[in-house]
């Protein structure tokens, strides 16, 4: 069950068919885990083609940059990327970065010869629940598996892939996604949700966290990586702007960007794809800035709902030390659904 | 009446004595207008001393940089400022900047000789309601009046000073302020509130805007300048972080950072003051980063309440073309107060 | 006489016809002064049309942001501007900003009604030589005069317009310009040059400053605003990159970006002009990133030569206190010219 | 032999005892390679203590962010780091990041339990000369070896550690370092030098590259990572400023920041160390901003000389395809030395 199944309806704009980042045509999400209760890898293909042959425009932003999203220098400098996007646990950034290097190099004959590559790897810290010292480390095989597992349509959420061990407002969360349709365009958000002080949790405007703080405990630290995809023809500087809007959704759930919370966003468009062997000039389209406002509202709504979806998809997680991170008891707050 | 008088209680932390940015000791706010219904000037003294002799640490941030806050380059480079802060209408930035230059130069014998000065002037656009082509332009006299009018304690809010002509979610708003106490420190926020699409207005978690959208009309554009003061001993890079937190409060009232909305913040501390003739090394204190989280939550709460205070303090404004910008009918949404 | 007339040839790329920023078709430069020895205003039209009707893409950068260039927030946010560019002395930023507001509002019926405007005004500090407390302040008339004086072709350099009172490496400098041709494109740079410690001056690779330090004295502080224009079809993020390259030229003359030196650049393209009433999508062209390298080298060369041109065009300036800022004795360092 | 041994004296300030980044007390540099002609790892200990227990203030900058330096988000957000700094070849960033995670986690019992860590790993691309597809990849052992090899005093330069396979202006370069003494403080720079178009090479002001372009060939792409250490008591925002100054030195050798060249700097101070378990307030010292100018000049000089030292320390490198990257024939350009 997802947030809407409990009557948790966020905002005013309609979601796409799958209510997922995959509603942006070509975007695909895959997961891989070594063990069900241990952090793994989530991989996102940014468009229908090969991002090495067809670099895509993108931009980043941080509400609180207390985390890692590799490739940030080139994203800022070039406004474009050439790899899929990877998510994992903090201590595995190097392993997944290296796995991505191995797998993508093997699949691309000119890589590390005429070209090098800097992948995008984001992280949250599941170390309260997963044993990052002694647990199984993701390697090439898991990176490849997540890439090959990737698909459109409905996205598996919660404690899966990079989402395992992730906690939000004191409950098991992890991967969540949602989308909004704005005219002929779609905005989709996928979060790796691992943040929030229980007493600050706001559910669709209701400050439910204060009562829940007696039932569960959260450190209040943690992070939330936000991936934002759209098919609107944006330029890199417009994507940087879009990348700031998931934080509006996070704020509405109760985030205040705590000191240790890496609330970092990466936004891209599937339109305006570039070519590796580019001509002297490439023809592009730019969405009128006035039309961005609706995309911004869509992004804020989708981010808020993505966090709720991550919470609603959680399951009890037995941590490596034996303690249990409980699932969010969504049914206790259920509202009448439209049906 | 202010937001709390209607039972609109934001967040979990207690406000300071005046529930104003002036709860940060030394901070003073003054207003000047040429006409009651025409945008004027608001001036804020950042600390109890002379900011020219005692520069103060500061930092900025933008949710959406569609506006102006002068001095931004030096704030980023030096992490410090030497002047009071001024707010006004968009077309008057030059006039107030020049007025500030005249007034502050006249009061400081070495200015424009051994030293120059770049003042901080922020703006929002009241041109839907105030005649910025033919109305009275603020000049030196009004800048001096706002500076000299500045005082601590209770702050006049709403349609006053720079706040005249400012609209929020379709209602008269303008200047609003609030504060929060965090242990031995205070965080205060003052907003120049001029943003928001009526149907997006959220009042303490309640999506009241959708019903109000039948009663009033808003363009949804506009801006919100946020001033944040604290007495916690922060460094410039910590103040940049604090400057990002008012946007969390704005988000909770319904902002999504629309394309044309200049949601820009300026944060400073009254601790760690510098000296103009500095020794080779200055002794400073730095608040432990872990303690920032509570300040961040405080800032988000104070910003949300400051917007509500701006709305609750509004009065019907007769625009220069005869149309009326209505006051927000707070009493219709009043909740039981603690009293 | 200009730098090349003394045999000071910078770099490897050929200059344009006028060896000026005006070699970028449509760019025009005008100056206005109240008195010959008092800082005035320089205005630059960024392209052949009306920038209000046809906004232009742009970007900024700072080696050392110790100065002011207004409009920076919107340049970063929108990647575009709608006004000419103005330069003046530090204490006159407000006056010129306000003059620009008046003049441009008067010429544009919808301004301050449906639209507001934030002009670009950059500054350097001439207060060692010009009396910024009591000298004549630029106002609307001088702003209009500079705008209307603007022309293509050869550009007046040195102690003219905003350049009066500006000192570089201990000599009278001010306005300087140069250009480079790169294939079918042109890069032009105009500097307001007011920086440099005499003993650090490097003239075409020769460390001449060390001997000159006995003859003249410089504070070493001061600033250099760099305007960069091109007709290459760049996007905003590419223009930000281009804006970092004038500092390479400044470095080669001896700048190290001293604490108080506002070394700030503003770059734009005359290609990819936008429309005020934009369609939902605008067709644009993007120069292949690989071709940027040549533009970057061109920009570095033109900036270095622009500084030398500012020095070579200087004249003895009698400061308001009676002291003389000497012209640079270029002839003592002259090299054989190609002729 | 180093640059000064050939009479290549850069600038006006005196170098420290070792003319190395290790002149900043506590800074130590170590190298590890699997094979002499294959890119390895260089590790830099930022101060005499354990950076995990004593985090250090730092800041970054880019002339051209076409590369990777991991940890950038937290450096910007927190102004501090907790790990040594690592350099390697582009395809090995993940491997070294992961090796650093393993080694540092093993040495620190609370790591990945109560704390996580994001190391700083910078890179340049040696793929023209080293086989990054099939050559030996650095792993935990080499990371540990580089860390344990680290020492103060004279630093091995050129084709060693991460420097193997690095080319500058068409010649073998790699690791180079230099320092400057400014009053009681020291500024040291270490570069991983892998940039530059031969015809643009400027040697102490002499444009020697144009003649050399017939003898060797360079792509002109590549990168240069610059590490800057000082013992001056700077704050994070001051270190960001310092981090921009190596680019001045690079510019003077002929860099123009070509599109593909990752010219990225990381600066830190050994003063103002923090404590992991920090008190509510930490006492710090801040160097007067006016004194920064001399540090900036020192940094520019040291960076220029570090590049020359990297060139002078190069040796002929036989690339994996059999081609030879020649050493720079410094002796042909030697100048009289002071001796």
């Amino acid at each position: 069950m997802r947030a809407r199944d409990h009557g948790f309806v966020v905002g005013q704009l309609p979601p796409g068919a799958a209510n997922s980042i995959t509603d942006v045509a070509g975007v695909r999400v895959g997961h891989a885990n070594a063990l069900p209760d241990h952090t793994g890898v989530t991989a996102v293909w940014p468009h229908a083609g090969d991002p090495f042959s067809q670099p895509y425009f993108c931009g980043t932003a941080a509400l609180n940059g207390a985390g890692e999203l590799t490739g940030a220098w080139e994203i800022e400098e070039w406004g474009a990327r050439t790899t899929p996007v990877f998510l994992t646990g903090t201590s595995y950034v190097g392993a997944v970065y290296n796995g991505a290097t191995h797998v993508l190099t093997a699949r691309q004959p000119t890589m590390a010869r005429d070209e090098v590559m800097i992948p995008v790897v984001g992280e949250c810290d599941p170390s309260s629940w997963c044993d990052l010292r002694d647990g199984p480390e993701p390697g090439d095989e898991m990176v490849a598996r997540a890439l090959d597992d990737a698909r459109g349509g409905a996205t598996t959420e919660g404690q899966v892939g990079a989402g395992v061990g992730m906690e939000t407002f004191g409950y098991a969360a992890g991967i969540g996604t949602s989308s909004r349709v704005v005219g002929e365009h779609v905005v989709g958000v996928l979060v790796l949700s691992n943040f929030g002080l229980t007493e600050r949790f706001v559910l669709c405007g209701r400050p439910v966290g204060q009562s829940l703080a007696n039932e569960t405990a959260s450190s209040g630290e943690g992070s939330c990586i936000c991936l934002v995809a759209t098919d609107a023809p944006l330029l890199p500087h417009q994507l940087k702007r879009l990348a700031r809007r998931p934080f509006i959704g996070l704020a509405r759930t109760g985030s205040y960007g705590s000191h240790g919370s890496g609330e970092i966003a990466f936004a891209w468009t599937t339109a305006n794809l570039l070519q590796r062997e580019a001509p002297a000039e490439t023809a592009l389209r730019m969405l009128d800035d006035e039309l961005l406002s609706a995309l911004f509202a869509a992004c804020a709504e989708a981010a808020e709902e993505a966090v709720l979806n991550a919470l609603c998809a959680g399951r009890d997680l037995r941590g490596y030390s034996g303690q249990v991170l409980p699932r969010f008891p969504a049914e206790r707050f259920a509202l009448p659904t439209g049906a």
Side-chain angles (χ1 to χ4, degrees), chain A:
Chain A
M1 282 176 68
R2 306 183 75 195
R4 283 180 184 251
D5 299 323
H6 299 286
F8 307 151
V9 177
V10 172
Q12 303 171 14
L13 295 165
N19 194 9
S20 165
I21 198 171
T22 58
D23 289 324
V24 180
V27 177
R28 290 153 290 150
V29 179
H31 303 295
N33 292 84
L35 295 172
D37 287 349
H38 193 72
T39 307
V41 180
T42 296
V44 181
W45 287 95
H47 60 73
D50 167 22
F52 180 76
S53 305
Q54 294 182 288
Y56 55 101
F57 278 158
C58 55
T60 63
L63 171 61
N64 193 56
E68 181 61 292
L69 184 95
T70 63
W73 293 98
E74 290 196 349
I75 296 167
E76 172 66 19
E77 189 72 31
W78 292 347
R81 280 293 73 195
T82 62
T83 76
V85 182
F86 302 91
L87 301 173
T88 191
T90 310
S91 297
Y92 297 153
V93 169
V96 171
Y97 192 118
N98 203 25
T101 304
H102 291 161
V103 170
L104 297 172
T105 299
R107 294 182 182 186
Q108 188 55 252
T110 60
M111 191 75 79
R113 294 277 194 260
D114 295 339
E115 300 285 348
V116 287
M117 165 204 62
I118 293 176
V120 180
V121 185
E123 56 70 51
C124 288
D125 176 15
S127 62
S128 299
W129 305 101
C130 300
D131 182 355
L132 297 184
R133 288 184 78 93
D134 298 318
E137 178 180 287
D140 300 5
E141 182 274 332
M142 272 177 57
V143 167
R145 184 147 45 100
L147 285 170
D148 295 342
D149 175 66
R151 63 198 70 187
T155 299
T156 309
E157 296 172 301
Q159 296 278 317
V160 63
V164 177
M166 302 300 171
E167 170 190 336
T168 297
F169 299 115
Y171 296 99
I175 300 291
T177 187
S178 181
S179 69
R180 290 294 182 276
V181 177
V182 182
E184 60 186 302
H185 297 300
V186 181
V187 177
V189 176
L190 182 140
V191 295
L192 177 62
S193 181
N194 187 44
F195 73 101
L197 206 56
T198 306
E199 58 261 41
R200 294 262 167 199
F201 180 31
V202 176
L203 178 62
C204 294
R206 289 184 289 167
V208 301
Q210 286 180 286
S211 62
L212 292 170
N214 298 321
E215 305 181 17
T216 188
S218 64
S219 70
E221 297 303 322
S223 296
C224 191
I225 301 287
C226 304
L227 308 183
V228 182
T230 186
D231 53 8
L234 302 187
L235 299 188
H237 75 286
Q238 294 177 310
L239 288 160
K240 283 180 71 171
R241 304 179 69 188
L242 185 62
R244 257 177 265 142
R245 270 57 188 190
F247 309 136
I248 294 170
L250 268 55
R252 291 178 182 159
T253 68
S255 167
Y256 51 92
S258 76
H259 163 65
S261 188
E263 302 188 356
I264 299 176
F266 175 71
W268 73 90
T269 176
T270 60
N272 282 332
L273 297 182
L274 304 177
Q275 300 297 326
R276 174 147 296 273
E277 300 298 330
E281 295 185 7
T282 295
L284 300 170
R285 293 168 299 134
M286 174 191 173
L287 190 78
D288 180 21
D289 275 345
E290 302 285 345
L291 302 179
L292 283 175
S293 293
L295 297 185
F296 292 167
C299 182
E301 291 189 3
E304 182 178 353
E305 187 162 333
V307 170
L308 299 184
N309 279 336
L311 275 166
C312 290
R315 52 179 167 86
D316 283 357
L317 180 78
R318 184 163 297 272
Y320 75 99
S321 64
Q323 285 185 294
V324 170
L325 174 64
R327 62 179 279 280
F328 173 61
E331 60 284 357
R332 286 167 45 192
F333 303 97
L335 296 169
T337 59

